[in-house]
Amino acid sequence: FKDLICPELFGLLDCNGLEVDVQTFTNFSGAPNSSPPIDGSGDFDNSSFGFDPGGQNAIVVVRVFYQWDLIIPGLSKPLENINGNKRLLQSTIAFRNEPF
């Protein structure tokens, strides 16, 4: 899956910093909320990530995260949301698989 995403980054992001989480659910209300997975210490927590694209009619949530290095520590401090002078970027999409 990451092999499909990485060529679309056009060299703007380091693919090694990309984290992908694909999960299936029985209904849309059971899908995770959009809050970022940041633990109480301010670190990115990907311990529950997996890759389960599901089967027919499955509800799938794909979340992609990137830890963006902030360049100017003093000026960019308000943008930091995880430790190490970084900003966690996130994109999420939910969909139902076709009945193939």
Side-chain angles (χ1 to χ4, degrees):
F1 192 74
K2 281 178 72 170
D3 291 340
L4 294 173
I5 296 173
C6 290
E8 302 300 321
L9 300 177
F10 305 108
L12 297 174
L13 304 174
D14 178 10
C15 200
N16 293 326
L18 198 65
E19 296 283 343
V20 179
D21 180 33
V22 180
Q23 297 182 34
T24 59
F25 300 89
T26 55
N27 55 51
F28 283 101
S29 63
N33 61 23
S34 62
S35 60
I38 300 172
D39 67 17
S41 301
D43 293 319
F44 174 57
D45 180 17
N46 64 355
S47 61
S48 65
F49 284 16
F51 186 82
D52 180 9
Q56 64 184 25
N57 292 318
I59 295 170
V60 182
V61 175
V62 178
R63 301 185 308 160
V64 179
F65 298 91
Y66 187 78
Q67 297 180 57
W68 183 271
D69 288 318
L70 299 172
I71 298 171
I72 306 170
L75 295 175
S76 57
K77 188 68 174 171
L79 299 174
E80 180 182 316
N81 68 349
I82 57 175
N83 291 330
N85 196 43
K86 295 181 180 185
R87 175 81 185 180
L88 184 63
L89 305 178
Q90 173 180 348
S91 180
T92 303
I93 187 167
F95 56 89
R96 182 184 299 274
N97 282 344
E98 293 194 24
F100 47 83

